[in-house]
Amino acid sequence: MVDLVTVSEAQIWAWLEGVPDPEIPVISVVDLGVIRAVDVGSSDDVKITITPTYSGCPAMSIIALDIRTALAKRGIENLTLETKIAPPWTTDWLSAKGRAQLEDYGIAPPRAAGGPAHCPQCKSRQVEKISRFGSTPCKAQWRCTSCLEPFDYFKCI
Amino acid sequence: MTPLFEFLLRQGDNALVLGHRTSEWCGVAPALEEDIALANTALDLIGQTQLWLGYAAEVEGAGRSANDLAYLRDVYDFRNVLMLEVPNADFGRTLMRQFLFDAFQVPWLTALQGSDDQQVADIAAKSLKEAQYHLDRSSETVIMLGDGTDESHARMKAALDYLFPYAGEMFADDAIDTAIRESGVAPLPSTVRTQWNETLRRVMNEAYLTIPDTTFNHSGGRTGFRHTEYLGHMLATMQTLQRSYPGATW
Ligand SMILES: [Zn+2]
């Protein structure tokens, strides 16, 4: 049988870097850590394994659709998307680049200590929690007591 | 119905019924932050429901989906504990119920992570992270309100007195639980009662609330034998769209 592979897994990963998270568009789905595997088969059939951040995250169906759309534009027609919940997603899978992009955007990145290191706006360490939950399942609300700005904190799980 | 299917319905229906009840606060909670917190908690629970009922549907093998199980079953087919279907009443009772359930879920899901059934173990591991976060918040809020004003304390006391006789059903082992234990899927629910008692004692102590001195337990939800009058009303709201427009999708 003739080997028909014309696309590499590295190429697919690079294309996925261009797919933004629908709720926090400054980071890509790759930097969010939801892409767990990319496998290219013997006839350019591509299988992508994704994992949900939170079990009820409504963005997951949009992410799947955005991945399909982005790869279809690159000519990938035979695409299988598989959802795997194990091992469960953790904020440890956010890339260093993703963390920096969150901070630049005004969202404090997650920390094992359980709260933001400093205000993403003015960098003051004088911050306090408003609520354990925020505008999306992955965020909590905090406030800076120096510049008085409220800000989102990416929950650490 | 096989014991595994029954077990999965119990898991899924607990998450679904509490998830729906919690979602009833959307837009009417006492503060915007609490509104968002409740909606996000509900969302986590509905997500967990999809996992449990999705697997239940697969195990049943009758061509039904998670949505069919959620929207097209009647009251007596539900297997949730009664505590989760009673009305929200006030914010205090809503958070007290969330706490009593979270304090059970954390040790229970921790135990299920060791299930011989890989899918059960995987769903438990995913749900556990969310349950831990919920428990942090519900304990914190129960303590804040119990140790708050005279009004908030009185409401939390009333909530605990009302809900406590419902809590025991979470630990009421029956023949299905025994069959499930024998197949290696889960331990008996009664085995996590000690941990639940400890969490309850610690949090109630900090909240200045007295644990009611009663051994009476309402029951009938997890067997489907006798639900409260409230579940039918809840399902009427929750299922109306699928009942009126069968098969409707987004
Ligand atoms: Zn600041």
Side-chain angles (χ1 to χ4, degrees):
Chain A
M1 203 179 125
V2 185
D3 191 3
L4 296 172
V5 176
T6 56
V7 63
S8 69
E9 283 163 12
Q11 179 63 74
I12 303 282
W13 278 104
W15 287 336
L16 292 175
E17 290 261 6
V19 179
D21 172 62
E23 285 178 342
I24 311 170
V26 288
I27 66 170
S28 75
V29 292
V30 173
D31 290 308
L32 184 63
V34 298
I35 311 290
R36 301 316 299 159
V38 172
D39 300 288
V40 177
S42 57
S43 46
D44 274 1
D45 50 310
V46 176
K47 193 179 108 182
I48 296 176
T49 309
I50 56 179
T51 195
T53 50
Y54 285 79
S55 57
C57 184
M60 291 316 293
S61 59
I62 309 296
I63 288 176
L65 186 68
D66 288 350
I67 291 173
R68 280 194 182 283
T69 311
L71 294 189
K73 277 188 199 153
R74 308 287 187 164
I76 304 295
E77 280 153 13
N78 193 353
L79 172 67
T80 311
L81 283 174
E82 195 182 77
T83 302
K84 265 184 95 168
I85 58 163
W89 178 83
T90 153
T91 34
D92 293 347
W93 293 347
L94 274 173
S95 70
K97 184 171 125 234
R99 283 163 200 270
Q101 286 167 326
L102 286 176
E103 170 111 16
D104 286 347
Y105 187 62
I107 300 172
R111 286 201 323 144
H118 50 240
C119 165
Q121 315 288 346
C122 76
K123 313 298 174 196
S124 161
R125 288 167 177 276
Q126 309 305 313
V127 293
E128 61 183 21
K129 185 176 72 191
I130 300 175
S131 170
R132 284 178 183 274
F133 290 86
S135 56
T136 65
C138 58
K139 287 178 288 186
Q141 297 172 77
W142 284 64
R143 170 196 298 129
C144 173
T145 54
S146 298
C147 74
L148 305 180
E149 283 293 317
F151 62 89
D152 281 331
Y153 165 62
F154 206 103
K155 287 165 16 185
C156 183
I157 69 161
Chain B
M1 291 206 273
T2 64
L4 181 58
F5 181 60
E6 281 279 333
F7 168 81
L8 294 169
L9 289 183
R10 290 174 175 187
Q11 292 298 114
D13 289 346
N14 276 351
L16 174 60
V17 170
L18 182 59
H20 186 83
R21 277 289 185 227
T22 308
S23 77
E24 292 172 356
W25 278 104
C26 193
V28 295
L32 181 61
E33 289 76 13
E34 293 307 327
D35 202 296
I36 289 169
L38 288 159
N40 273 293
T41 304
L43 191 61
D44 287 343
L45 289 165
I46 300 302
Q48 294 167 18
T49 304
Q50 286 175 330
L51 299 173
W52 290 118
L53 293 187
Y55 185 31
E58 189 186 317
V59 165
E60 186 192 33
R64 291 202 277 185
S65 66
N67 277 348
D68 294 337
L69 291 175
Y71 296 122
L72 300 173
R73 279 181 304 148
D74 213 333
V75 168
Y76 291 100
D77 301 321
F78 273 74
R79 296 291 182 264
N80 57 284
V81 294
L82 301 177
M83 182 176 82
L84 306 180
E85 70 193 40
V86 298
N88 291 329
D90 59 9
F91 180 71
R93 196 206 278 178
T94 301
L95 265 294
M96 179 61 80
R97 164 165 62 194
Q98 186 71 44
F99 165 74
L100 296 173
F101 182 64
D102 294 340
F104 163 75
Q105 282 294 81
V106 169
W108 178 240
L109 295 170
T110 302
L112 292 188
Q113 288 186 114
S115 175
D116 287 349
D117 184 309
Q118 195 56 49
Q119 287 209 60
V120 168
D122 290 350
I123 298 171
K126 183 75 191 161
S127 311
L128 176 60
K129 288 176 157 240
E130 294 162 2
Q132 279 163 334
Y133 202 83
H134 295 171
L135 178 60
D136 284 348
R137 166 178 179 264
S138 60
S139 344
E140 189 180 87
T141 314
V142 163
I143 291 168
M144 212 186 301
L145 293 172
D147 182 17
T149 63
D150 288 347
E151 174 74 18
S152 73
H153 178 83
R155 287 186 184 228
M156 294 316 276
K157 182 186 181 308
L160 181 61
D161 290 347
Y162 178 85
L163 293 169
F164 191 76
Y166 284 99
E169 193 189 5
M170 296 189 288
F171 311 97
D173 305 334
D174 66 4
I176 288 163
D177 297 308
T178 308
I180 283 297
R181 183 192 55 183
E182 278 159 15
S183 60
V185 174
L188 294 175
S190 59
T191 57
V192 299
R193 176 129 206 184
T194 313
Q195 280 169 278
W196 183 81
N197 282 339
E198 279 167 22
T199 310
L200 180 71
R201 252 196 303 274
R202 178 176 55 77
V203 171
M204 292 309 130
N205 192 38
E206 282 192 60
Y208 296 98
L209 292 167
T210 310
I211 299 168
D213 183 20
T214 173
T215 51
F216 176 75
N217 287 324
H218 292 284
S219 64
R222 64 197 300 272
T223 56
F225 173 69
R226 191 194 305 110
H227 279 280
T228 66
E229 66 192 277
Y230 306 114
L231 183 61
H233 292 272
M234 194 197 99
L235 296 186
T237 306
M238 188 181 91
Q239 299 181 332
T240 181
L241 195 131
Q242 280 302 324
R243 298 285 190 189
S244 308
Y245 304 94
T249 56
W250 284 101

